Structure formats: C-alpha cells, structure tokens
Amino acid sequence: GINAEYMGIFNIKDMTCPHMTSAYIASSMAGKMVYKDECTKCFATDKDELGIDVCLKCFNGACCTKLAHSELHASKHSHPIVLNIRSIVKNPEVSKEPVVVSKVAVGKEGGIDFQAEEYESITRVHCYACKVDLDKTNPIVKSLIESILLSHSAIEASKIEEWEHEFKECQHTSKLVQITEGLKPLDTTTLAHCNDCELSSNLWLCLTCGHLGCGREGYQNTGGHSHAIKHNQTTGHPVVVKMGTITPEGKASLYCYACDNDTLDSRLSAHLLPLGINVKTQVKTEKSMAELELALNLAFSLSQVYEQNLKFVPLYGPSCTGIENIGNTCYIAVVLQLLFSFPEFVTRYYDTTMKHLMECSRAPADCFHCQMAKLAYGLCSGEYSKPKKHKIILYEGITEEEKKKEHFYQEGIRPRMFKTFIGKGHPDFSTSQQQDSLLYFAYLLDKIEKAEKIANVGDPTQLFRFKSENKLKCMNCGGVKYTEQEQPVIRLHLPLPAGKVDENTVVDFGKCLENYSKGEVVDLFCPRCNKGSTFLKTQNFLNFPKVLVIAANREIVEGLLLKKLMVQLDIPIDKLDLEPLRAAPHSPSEVLLEGSGSAKDMEPEINVQLLNELLQTGIPELPAKHALLRTGNSSSEVAISWYFEHMSDPSLNQPLQKVKKVEKNGASEENIAQMIDFGYSREQAVFGLNNTENNVERAIDYLCNHPVVVEEVKQSAPVNVQDKQPGIYRLHGFITHLGSSASSGPVSYTHLRAHETSLHLVCRLLLEKKK
C-alpha cells in the first residue's frame, strides 16, 4: 500500500521551511530537461501509485517506491525540495466503448492511441530534509510548478509521438505506360476471376495491360496461385492494384514488382478508366495490404504464442521481462534481450545495480552505468513482468468469441532513456527509423567497451571478441602478408544453388563455412613483383571466443536496389565444429612481403561503423574503403551512392595509399601509465595520446574507433599464437528479421533456447524442445 508517512500524515506547517530558498530551488527551467514521467534510475512512472518526484533544483525524476531513489537523490545532492506528480485516470468509472482500429498508425485517427485514457495530475511539494509537505502556492515555487506541468518531459521531447505505415509513389507508377491497343475493358457486371485459374478473391489487376491474376501463394492466408507475379515475370509489367480495395476517393492497395514494395498512384483514377473501372462507382470489399498487416500486428498483441501450431503459455517473473516497441525499436529490443541472456551481462550490470545506483553522483540520465543498471534491473528483477489483463482492441473481422476471451500481458519496460542516451549523436540510432540489429549490436558493444575501459572493472563484451588472422598470398611470386584483427562477429555469404531461388530454397550452413574458408581473389599491388598482381585473401581464427556471433548476409545488390534473399538456412543446433577454420602455424619457408605487420605505414583513417554498413550491402571491402575516403567518411548512404557511380573504375581495387605513423611524442608518462593500466600496450597508448592532444578519455575513444590501426600499432610482426580452446559451439539463440524487404518489414525477433515471452512485446523467444 501507500507509505502513510510519505503521503503526508504530516500537516502543512505554518512555519517556513528553511529549505524554501533559492539555494534549493531553481529560479527557472531555461535550458533544462525535466524528467517528470519516469524515474531516471528505474522504470517507475508518474502513473504508479506513488507517482514521481521531480527535484525542484535540477529537475531529476525519481521514484518513491521501495527503491527510494528520490530520497537517495535528495540526500546525496542536498536537493531536498521535490514536486510529487501522480497521474490518475479521469472518471475511471466511465467505461468507454473500444475504438475500432482501421489503419496502420499510432497516434492518429483510426489508429491505436498511445493513451486510451485521459489523465489528470495530482501534485504535492515535499521537503525530505524536514519530512513535511509544503504549500505549493508559495510564490517561491508556484510559477516553477506551473512551468513544469506545462512543459514537455525529457522523454516526451525525444519519443515518437506517432508513426504510420507510409507509402510513396515510385517511378514505375509516376511514369506508367499503358497498352491501350486491343485492350478489352474489364466486365464489372460479372463475377471476375483470375485469367489463369478460377480464383475469384485476392485478385490483382495489371495497370499496364489489364491482366487479372491471383495473389501470392499462401501470403498472409489470403490464398492464391501467384499468377499475378508470374505475369510480371513474363511481361515485365511492374504495377498491380488489388481488386476490392479501390475506393471512390481513388485510393487502393497497389504493389510494384520492380521495386518489390507497396506504392501509390496519384493518377489511379485515370489509369483505371481505360480498364473499364470508374472509381466513383467502386465499393471497397477486401482488405488492403495495410489492413492485412494491421490485423497481423494486432494478432501479435495477444498473450498466446504460437509456434508451428503449438500453443505456449507466456512466462512472468525475473529474467522473463519483455521490451515494448517504442517506435521502430525492435532492433534495439532483440539485441538487449540477447545480451542479457548471458550470465556475464547479468553479473556485471544487475548484480552490481543497487551498489552503483547508491554510490553514483552523476546525473543518472547522462551516466552510462546508471542507464545500464536501470536496464538490467528492469529486465532481470521481475518487477515489470507481472500478469495484467488486456484491454479489448477491436479490429475488422474480430469474432464474438474473441471479444469474450480474457488475455493477459505483462507491462514490460520502455527503455526510452536508454535509447536516447546510447544513440545520442549517431546519425541513425538517434532517429526513429528502423535500423539493422547487427549494426546496433556492434555499435553497442563498442559503447560498452569504451565505458568499461574507463571504469576498469570488467568488460562483458570480451565474451564475443576474438582475433582473426588475415592472409594475403600473391598468386605470382608466392609472397605472403599477415595482419591480425580483433572483431566480435564473422560474416558469412550464402552460396546459392543454381536455378530458381525462393522461400523453399534450403542453404546448408556447412556450405557457408566452406565458402568462407576458400577466401576471395583480389587484385592488389605486390611490392615483391613490383606490379599489380592477383592475391588470394583468406581469414582464419587465431583464437575462439566463448560466444561466437555469426552474421549470415541475406542481402544482395541487384542493379541499384538492395534486396533480401528469402531462403531457409539449415543451422546445426548442438554441435558446430569450427576447428577447420583455425589459423595454421606459419611456415618458415614463407616469404613475408614488405609491410607485413608494420606500424610505420598505415591505411588512412576509415570510419569502422560506416565500413561495416557498406560491407553489409555486399560491397567488397577495398572499394568500400575507397568510397568512404572519397566521400569524407560522411555517411553510408553517400558512400554507397558514390560507389555505384564509380563501380567500373579499376582503381577501386588498388590498395589505399599509406600514411606515415605520427612519430611525435606529446604523450606524458603519467597518461601513458594510465592507458597501460586500462589494458593498452605502450605503443598503443603513445599512438592514441599523440592523436588526441594527450587526453586519456579521447585517446581511448580514438583507439576504440580505429581497431584496425590499433592492431597494426600493436605488433611489429604477427606472432600467430595458437589458442587452446576448441572451436566447438552449440546454438544459444538467433535474431531474425521477418519480411521480404531489406530496408523494412514487420518486426525483428530474438529466439533463445529454453525461454519464452508474450508476443505483444517485441521479442519472441523460442522454447527448447523437450522430450
């Protein structure tokens, strides 16, 4: 229940509290963020029974729960005066009729509203030092309180207020050419059916020639024999409209096969007239693709989990907490769920949570370890994983039986502060757009590594890191060059079989490994031959990590479009033997080429994050580096565009021009020693400090952002030290992205063995099969 002492059995004192002065109360909110709807150290909110305390000095938000983060803040910072805000539902006894959801939108008419209820705020002013409630109409605090209540909270300032499934008109609809000669208009007075079969539903009309074909086989249970897409493959006619979705306003569900995406047609009425269709007489009889996706997403909000016709019951409690989608954030949720499935992350951030939150004096919203501790407490404590009854959400086609069912869910957590803090300054992860989970995984690991270097306590990301050896062998003279690189992921390309490739195509994982071990042929300059030569480039493991992350690249570039391979990947579950990929000892007879492991000459600085993004699209590494250098490491989009414009240029396969290592020594011995304590070699410390004006924190950041350079500085020649840990693995979990589009789709999922959670939260977890 409510803490009676805290909630004010004390009367408001007639006397003046000695803390009601400008020393303890801010004069204004100018330039300050106000955390008034969620505790900065846990996930308690203003809608909880005790509400949130807003510090009237620094505007930090803190809870009044058993964790007592507000009282802790008051005593640690000598900020005793707080404004308590409790948001309660207006007229809770009045039951509203559920609104029928009719479009793929949040926060817009016809979509799902963020706040189905209306709230009002109950406020009190309290002094923790005097343990007394104060007069909130006192002129010292009155105007400040009014400003706080009227202002946007820090979370509101950064969250997504609305999102909607957006379609754009593509070049194939805007420049559509229709074949009118010999065209027979569609007879709308009779029951239409597919030109190639007898199906009379899920029909798609070709806007080029008027061919009527049925939809894709089995797509979202709509039925079809794929005759519409077969017509496209035969004729190349790109745009189709779904019959039954045409409205008198000239709107409909359209699809462009050339773009492999939904589209719009601003001249749809004009394009349909030659085909015998007057949009003003049309009556909508079928669901559009947006409505079908909406129904699919609404089905995900129910508490049952279905896997291959098996019904599972969702779990609740510690380590079974879900993460809500706060706007295209499934890529964040899947990575966090995966990381916290490992005991190393739980031990580092959950087991030390209370200690850090008690001792830290930094602003929690700006402290990496506070936000990690908050996240860990939210995921691992079970406090936010308790069953709650679902509200009814009506949607087109819902049955009476479904309306009567009781569905339960868990609140889960909404890591908005974490998203804002981690993504701050990043061109992609600071936005509300859907992003790639692998890129976010690598980005978050780098963030964690930097923070733990400074904290010098323990870095759980070492769980994933390993050293690989890159070998270049000249096919002309036989000379070799070795370099070492530390990385957290290996990337595999899928070797596709000859012939048709579709959703039924099965790719053997063993073939992927064989393809990886063969290496690739590249054209480079050979210093021994003193001319351009063909090299075989291979990469093998110097040591194996405890947890190996493998990225199977399902994206290919066709023309100027990035497409996703919809194939099945057959992965071994209990034994994956990677010993054949272990680097072999160097042969004494090998001739090392000039520059093998040298720290004197290095490649120019390449933004590693952007390089990874280009590699993900299938662009070869050397041309990708050239593209980034030519575009000033500005962004992956600009570099990709530059690459496609210059991809025929043979110089893209030439090695980068080397730059000399900085030889000056502006690094102080004190800072060098400090860097060595953080785990860097003396050479690395000097190099990092020289490039950052002898600043330790900047040097650590610099070295973390230039891992290739770091490895070259680290060694005068590769030693090829052999690791004794066997490279034998079993499947722990995987992240997968549903949908056929490479750039967007319904959602991403994390699957972990022996775990499960409800589908209404973003992460779905796969149960381990029991005998």
Side-chain angles (χ1 to χ4, degrees):
I2 297 177
N3 184 312
E5 179 181 358
Y6 174 78
M7 290 303 294
I9 59 170
F10 297 103
N11 294 321
I12 296 176
K13 302 296 184 181
D14 290 329
M15 68 175 191
T16 302
C17 169
H19 304 98
M20 285 282 273
T21 67
S22 60
Y24 301 99
I25 299 171
S27 57
S28 75
M29 293 168 41
K32 298 289 183 66
M33 301 292 281
V34 181
Y35 296 90
K36 64 178 182 179
D37 44 17
E38 184 177 282
C39 178
T40 55
K41 290 191 174 184
C42 71
F43 290 93
T45 74
D46 58 318
K47 296 179 181 65
D48 293 336
E49 193 174 24
L50 299 177
I52 289 292
D53 281 347
V54 178
C55 173
L56 291 186
K57 183 64 176 178
C58 67
F59 306 108
N60 178 68
C63 67
C64 323
T65 64
K66 61 185 180 182
L67 299 176
H69 290 142
S70 183
E71 190 171 0
L72 176 66
H73 176 82
S75 62
K76 183 171 284 292
H77 298 278
S78 297
H79 293 176
I81 308 295
V82 299
L83 172 67
N84 178 262
I85 302 176
R86 287 191 299 131
S87 296
I88 61 173
V89 179
K90 287 184 179 179
N91 303 321
E93 70 281 355
V94 178
S95 177
K96 287 186 176 181
E97 279 295 315
V99 178
V100 176
V101 180
S102 60
K103 67 189 294 188
V104 185
V106 174
K108 288 190 175 182
E109 184 179 352
I112 301 173
D113 196 352
F114 268 123
Q115 295 183 341
E117 301 91 1
E118 292 184 8
Y119 290 87
E120 60 181 339
S121 296
I122 307 298
T123 60
R124 295 180 310 107
V125 176
H126 184 78
C127 177
Y128 274 102
C130 300
K131 296 187 181 298
V132 62
D133 283 355
L134 303 170
D135 182 4
K136 62 184 180 184
T137 64
N138 188 312
I140 299 176
V141 295
K142 183 181 178 181
S143 62
L144 186 62
I145 291 173
E146 291 173 351
S147 297
I148 290 173
L149 295 177
L150 290 173
S151 69
H152 287 296
S153 72
I155 289 179
E156 287 173 332
S158 61
K159 78 178 182 181
I160 305 170
E161 293 181 349
E162 61 184 18
W163 62 267
E164 184 169 10
H165 193 116
E166 295 181 356
F167 301 141
K168 295 181 179 180
E169 188 170 32
C170 69
Q171 61 175 331
H172 303 98
T173 52
S174 63
K175 300 178 180 179
L176 182 71
V177 176
Q178 292 185 285
I179 302 173
T180 56
E181 186 177 349
L183 181 67
K184 183 180 179 181
L186 194 69
D187 184 0
T188 57
T189 62
T190 60
L191 182 65
H193 62 81
C194 174
N195 290 166
D196 302 300
C197 70
E198 295 302 315
L199 284 179
S200 58
S201 62
N202 187 23
L203 300 178
W204 295 80
L205 179 69
C206 174
L207 289 182
T208 301
C209 69
H211 175 273
L212 196 60
C214 55
R216 298 177 195 248
E217 190 172 353
Y219 181 73
Q220 293 187 353
N221 299 315
T222 54
H225 298 138
S226 303
H227 286 136
I229 193 170
K230 288 176 183 176
H231 173 73
N232 160 258
Q233 292 167 349
T234 302
T235 64
H237 298 170
V239 183
V240 290
V241 58
K242 188 179 183 186
M243 299 299 290
T245 67
I246 304 168
T247 68
E249 294 78 27
K251 295 182 178 180
S253 181
L254 292 102
Y255 195 84
C256 178
Y257 290 118
C259 297
D260 194 19
N261 210 346
D262 300 288
T263 187
L264 289 179
D265 185 358
S266 59
R267 298 185 296 137
L268 180 62
S269 301
H271 287 150
L272 288 174
L273 273 178
L275 303 177
I277 298 176
N278 183 348
V279 298
K280 293 181 180 179
T281 64
Q282 295 300 299
V283 177
K284 183 174 178 294
T285 59
E286 289 202 20
K287 292 182 181 180
S288 68
M289 300 312 292
E291 289 165 338
L292 286 169
E293 289 187 14
L294 171 66
L296 182 64
N297 280 293
L298 288 172
F300 283 172
S301 72
L302 304 180
S303 59
Q304 280 79 21
V305 178
Y306 294 89
E307 282 275 6
Q308 296 180 343
N309 300 320
L310 297 177
K311 179 179 175 182
F312 299 138
V313 179
L315 300 179
Y316 302 94
S319 298
C320 293
T321 304
I323 300 175
E324 284 196 43
N325 192 338
I326 53 178
N328 288 326
T329 54
C330 56
Y331 70 95
I332 296 176
V334 293
V335 169
L336 296 181
Q337 291 284 20
L338 186 66
L339 292 181
F340 278 91
S341 69
F342 296 107
E344 288 82 357
F345 276 81
V346 176
T347 300
R348 175 67 187 98
Y349 297 114
Y350 179 57
D351 294 352
T352 60
T353 292
M354 305 310 294
K355 183 175 184 293
H356 177 81
L357 294 179
M358 289 288 291
E359 295 177 354
C360 183
S361 58
R362 296 185 60 187
D366 297 323
C367 173
F368 172 85
H369 286 96
C370 278
Q371 289 307 304
M372 288 298 291
K374 173 180 175 176
L375 178 69
Y377 180 79
L379 287 175
C380 304
S381 68
E383 192 67 29
Y384 310 99
S385 180
K386 298 174 182 177
K388 292 193 174 185
K389 190 175 178 181
H390 245 307
K391 230 177 353 183
I392 295 177
I393 299 178
L394 300 182
Y395 59 93
E396 188 178 343
I398 190 171
T399 63
E400 289 300 321
E401 182 183 359
E402 192 64 38
K403 288 181 185 178
K404 296 175 183 177
K405 285 183 181 179
E406 286 189 339
H407 297 290
F408 293 87
Y409 73 102
Q410 53 165 282
E411 260 188 345
I413 60 172
R414 310 177 81 185
R416 284 202 179 100
M417 285 188 198
F418 180 86
K419 176 186 182 297
T420 301
F421 177 80
I422 294 296
K424 187 176 182 180
H426 192 279
D428 297 320
F429 302 134
S430 61
T431 71
S432 60
Q433 302 302 310
Q434 189 180 80
Q435 306 297 338
D436 183 86
S437 57
L438 178 62
L439 296 179
Y440 188 75
F441 171 78
Y443 172 76
L444 183 56
L445 256 57
D446 286 341
K447 279 277 189 181
I448 294 173
E449 184 183 37
K450 293 173 191 175
E452 297 301 354
K453 284 277 188 184
I454 296 171
N456 200 24
V457 175
D459 179 8
T461 69
Q462 296 306 312
L463 183 70
F464 307 106
R465 301 192 184 278
F466 61 93
K467 285 184 180 180
S468 63
E469 180 181 77
N470 297 305
K471 179 180 178 180
L472 284 169
K473 182 176 181 179
C474 177
M475 306 299 288
N476 182 43
C477 70
V480 297
K481 177 179 179 179
Y482 291 100
T483 56
E484 296 178 9
Q485 183 178 352
E486 185 179 87
Q487 58 193 84
V489 179
I490 68 166
R491 293 174 172 81
L492 300 181
H493 292 276
L494 306 186
L496 299 177
K500 181 182 177 182
V501 175
D502 56 25
E503 295 177 357
N504 297 315
T505 302
V506 179
V507 177
D508 180 58
F509 195 74
K511 297 290 185 183
C512 297
L513 294 177
E514 287 179 19
N515 195 44
Y516 178 85
S517 64
K518 288 178 182 177
E520 61 177 327
V521 176
V522 295
D523 293 324
L524 298 170
F525 178 81
C526 177
R528 191 175 182 213
C529 299
N530 198 29
K531 63 178 182 179
S533 182
T534 300
F535 283 76
L536 176 64
K537 180 181 178 181
T538 56
Q539 185 179 53
N540 288 292
F541 289 88
L542 281 175
N543 68 299
F544 289 101
K546 185 174 181 180
V547 176
L548 179 64
V549 179
I550 301 175
N553 185 14
R554 292 197 293 162
E555 295 176 349
I556 58 173
V557 177
E558 288 187 359
L560 297 178
L561 293 177
L562 186 63
K563 293 197 173 184
K564 179 177 173 183
L565 292 171
M566 297 298 291
V567 297
Q568 300 179 40
L569 185 60
D570 188 10
I571 304 174
I573 293 177
D574 289 313
K575 186 178 180 181
L576 176 63
D577 188 356
L578 297 181
E579 279 297 322
L581 297 182
R582 185 186 291 277
H586 294 175
S587 170
S589 61
E590 288 180 328
V591 178
L592 292 179
L593 296 177
E594 179 186 345
S596 188
S598 171
K600 297 292 183 182
D601 296 322
M602 296 172 297
E603 288 185 350
E605 292 183 15
I606 300 289
N607 185 303
V608 177
Q609 185 70 29
L610 296 180
L611 177 61
N612 288 335
E613 293 177 18
L614 265 65
L615 295 178
Q616 278 295 103
T617 68
I619 298 176
E621 183 175 347
L622 199 52
K625 289 182 177 180
H626 277 290
L628 287 170
L629 283 177
R630 298 291 182 90
T631 57
N633 285 299
S634 55
S635 73
S636 56
E637 291 81 6
V638 173
I640 290 171
S641 177
W642 187 94
Y643 168 74
F644 282 124
E645 291 174 3
H646 301 82
M647 59 189 303
S648 60
D649 186 347
S651 68
L652 292 184
N653 292 314
Q654 295 298 314
L656 299 179
Q657 186 176 355
K658 299 290 184 176
V659 295
K660 290 293 182 181
K661 188 187 98 170
V662 179
E663 296 293 347
K664 61 180 181 181
N665 189 356
S668 68
E669 287 300 324
E670 179 184 359
N671 286 352
I672 292 173
Q674 190 174 349
M675 295 279 290
I676 291 174
D677 288 340
F678 288 151
Y680 290 106
S681 68
R682 181 178 179 83
E683 291 77 10
Q684 290 173 307
V686 171
F687 180 78
L689 292 168
N690 280 341
N691 282 279
T692 54
E693 300 177 339
N694 199 34
N695 183 297
V696 173
E697 288 194 14
R698 286 176 56 201
I700 292 173
D701 186 72
Y702 180 85
L703 292 175
C704 288
N705 278 321
H706 299 81
V708 177
V709 173
V710 169
E711 291 306 321
E712 291 195 4
V713 172
K714 183 183 295 185
Q715 53 190 349
S716 58
V719 182
N720 193 236
V721 178
Q722 296 297 307
D723 179 77
K724 301 301 181 184
Q725 181 174 317
I728 309 294
Y729 293 92
R730 68 184 296 270
L731 182 66
H732 174 82
F734 62 92
I735 293 175
T736 185
H737 174 262
L738 299 186
S740 59
S741 173
S743 58
S744 63
V747 75
S748 296
Y749 290 112
T750 302
H751 300 253
L752 302 177
R753 298 182 67 156
H755 288 280
E756 170 193 15
T757 190
S758 64
L759 272 179
H760 91 282
L761 302 169
V762 168
C763 295
R764 181 173 55 156
L765 309 177
L766 184 67
L767 282 179
E768 185 171 16
K769 195 172 182 180
K770 304 292 184 183
K771 292 185 179 179

